[in-house]
Amino acid sequence: MAAESSHSTTHLSPKQTRKKQLSPAIDDRSLKLPDLPLELILEILLRLPVNSLIRFKSVCKSWLTMISSPQFVKKHLGFVTMGDTINPWRIIVQTPYQDFKSYSLHSLFHEPYGFEVELEYPFKTAQYGSIVGSCNGLVCIYFWELVDTFYIWNPSTRETHALSAFGKEFVVGTSFGFGYDSPNDDYKVVRVAFVEGRHEVEVYSLRRDSWRRIGDFPSQLITNYFVEAGKLVNGSIHWAATNPSSHSWIITTLDLSEETYREVPQPNYESEVHDLSVIALRGHLCIVCEDAYCSVDLWSMNEYGIKESWTKLYSMPYWPGHGPFQYPEPLWCLKDGVFLVNCDGVFGIYDSIEHTFKYPLSHVTHILDQADIYVESLVSPNAFMKVPTGLNQ
C-alpha cells in the first residue's frame, strides 16, 4: 500500500479556480489611479459640464478647492462660451402657471424632441413674476405680488440670492435690466419707474448688496404698466424708446460701469418703421421692426456702436394666424441662417435662406409667456457674500 502523501489535496470549484488564476494580476497597485499633473487635471475639468463638476467637488478636498475658486469659475465660463458650440446653452421659459422650465438649445434645433426640464428653485410659491434677463449663467427674476422682489438665480447650481424688496408705491409703469459690470466685477439690476412725470432709475449692486438712485432716464420709455426689459450688449442695457420732443424711435443705453446714458445710432431703414423692439442675439445688438405692416425685419449691428455695420439678417412675411404686433422674437441663430423664435408663445424654427417656418416637436410643451437664453455656468450669485451660503435646494 502506497504511503499517504504528506500534502492534503484541496478541491476548488471552477469559480474559485478562475479567481485564483486571476488574482496574481490584480492587486492594490493596479487599482490605484495614476498621478496626473495638476495642470492636466485642470485642463480636463475645464472641459466638463457643470453637473459633472458639481459631483466632482466630492472627490477630494483639493478638487473642491480648485472647482470652487473664482479663478476656475471664470476660466470655465470663458471656455464654455468660446466658439460656436450650442451645447452649454439652454433656454429658460416661464409658463402661464408661473413655472420655470428649461430646454437644451441643441435638442430644439437638431433632435426629434426638445425635452423640457422642470427647474428647482426656492421661490416656487411666489406669484406674478417675469424674467428680467440673464448673464453668465445667472438669471434675474422679478415678482410684484405684495412688494417688488428680485432674485438672482443660477438654474444650473440652484444657488439663489434675494435682493432687498421695494415697498409698494404708485407707479405708472416699470422696466428693468440685468447685466455684468466687467470693469468693477459686479452684477447689477436696473429698475426704471415712471413716477410723478419722470423716469426714476435705481441700480442694485450685487457686490454692495444695496440699491441707489442715479440720474433719471433721459427718454420716453414707459407707456403702460410693464415694458419689456432692456437687453444687455457690450456692458450696457439697451431700450427701444422715443424722443420726448420728436416722438421718433431711439435706442437709449445705460452703461453699467459708468452709469451714464447715450444713444445708439440706428440703421438706414428702407421704409417707415411702425414698431421697434431691441433684442440681444448671440452677443450682438439687434432690432426687430415692422416694415409697413407687411413684414418683420431683423437688423444686426456687427460692430458695436458703428452705424455702417448694421446688416439686415432677414425680412420675414407674416405667417397665417400672425399679424401686426405678433411677430416672432428671435432667440438664437445658427450660422446657416436658421433661427429659433418665440412665435406668439410657442417655439418656431425659421430658415431665412429657404424662407420656411416649422414648429419643432417638444416633449410636454407648454405655451410660454417668456423665454430667455442662459449658459450653464458655476457663477454664484452669493460670490460677494461675506459668509458662503451654500446651495439653496
Side-chain angles (χ1 to χ4, degrees), residues 170-223:
F170 177 77
V171 295
V172 176
T174 53
S175 183
F176 310 99
F178 172 64
Y180 180 56
D181 171 7
S182 178
N184 297 304
D185 189 24
D186 196 3
Y187 289 89
K188 294 181 177 179
V189 180
V190 181
R191 179 181 185 259
V192 184
F194 189 30
V195 181
E196 298 179 351
R198 65 181 186 276
H199 295 73
E200 295 182 352
V201 181
E202 294 180 87
V203 176
Y204 170 85
S205 162
L206 185 59
R207 181 172 286 278
R208 297 188 182 93
D209 192 24
S210 62
W211 292 90
R212 63 188 181 84
R213 279 285 309 275
I214 64 170
D216 291 350
F217 200 78
S219 51
Q220 185 68 33
L221 180 64
I222 308 300
T223 56

Side-chain angles (χ1 to χ4, degrees), residues 70 141 158 193 246 362:
I141 308 290
R158 291 182 286 176
S246 65
S362 296

Side-chain angles (χ1 to χ4, degrees), residues 72-199:
F72 182 90
V73 171
K74 287 187 177 182
K75 284 184 178 180
H76 182 262
L77 177 64
F79 189 86
V80 299
T81 55
M82 180 177 57
D84 293 323
T85 178
I86 64 173
N87 292 330
W89 295 90
R90 300 188 66 86
I91 181 166
I92 181 173
V93 302
Q94 180 189 19
T95 74
Y97 306 102
Q98 300 296 309
D99 294 325
F100 293 95
K101 305 176 186 295
S102 78
Y103 292 84
S104 160
L105 271 183
H106 187 276
S107 71
L108 290 172
F109 275 110
H110 302 298
E111 301 295 335
Y113 290 91
F115 286 92
E116 71 180 21
V117 175
E118 180 128 11
L119 296 171
E120 293 296 326
Y121 45 92
F123 44 85
K124 271 184 176 288
T125 58
Q127 297 293 319
Y128 309 111
S130 63
I131 302 171
V132 173
S134 66
C135 178
N136 294 345
L138 300 181
V139 179
C140 182
I141 308 290
Y142 162 67
F143 294 95
W144 65 89
E145 185 176 7
L146 297 176
V147 294
D148 286 354
T149 307
F150 296 83
Y151 293 89
I152 298 178
W153 166 43
N154 185 325
S156 303
T157 64
R158 291 182 286 176
E159 290 183 275
T160 307
H161 177 73
L163 281 61
S164 53
F166 283 93
K168 269 300 177 188
E169 58 179 325
F170 177 77
V171 295
V172 176
T174 53
S175 183
F176 310 99
F178 172 64
Y180 180 56
D181 171 7
S182 178
N184 297 304
D185 189 24
D186 196 3
Y187 289 89
K188 294 181 177 179
V189 180
V190 181
R191 179 181 185 259
V192 184
F194 189 30
V195 181
E196 298 179 351
R198 65 181 186 276
H199 295 73

Side-chain angles (χ1 to χ4, degrees), residues 363-380:
H363 181 66
V364 198
T365 302
H366 294 269
I367 298 296
L368 58 98
D369 276 354
Q370 281 186 289
D372 207 341
I373 304 294
Y374 73 96
V375 66
E376 292 183 299
S377 82
L378 293 167
V379 176
S380 171

Side-chain angles (χ1 to χ4, degrees), residues 28-71:
D28 291 341
R29 289 173 297 175
S30 63
L31 292 175
K32 185 180 179 182
L33 292 175
D35 292 327
L36 299 176
L38 183 60
E39 293 78 8
L40 180 57
I41 295 175
L42 175 62
E43 289 300 314
I44 294 173
L45 293 177
L46 285 173
R47 287 161 171 78
L48 297 181
V50 170
N51 57 353
S52 297
L53 291 171
I54 292 174
R55 293 199 306 271
F56 289 166
K57 284 183 177 182
S58 303
V59 171
C60 59
K61 288 185 178 180
S62 62
W63 282 30
L64 171 63
T65 301
M66 179 168 55
I67 296 172
S68 303
S69 70
Q71 295 82 5

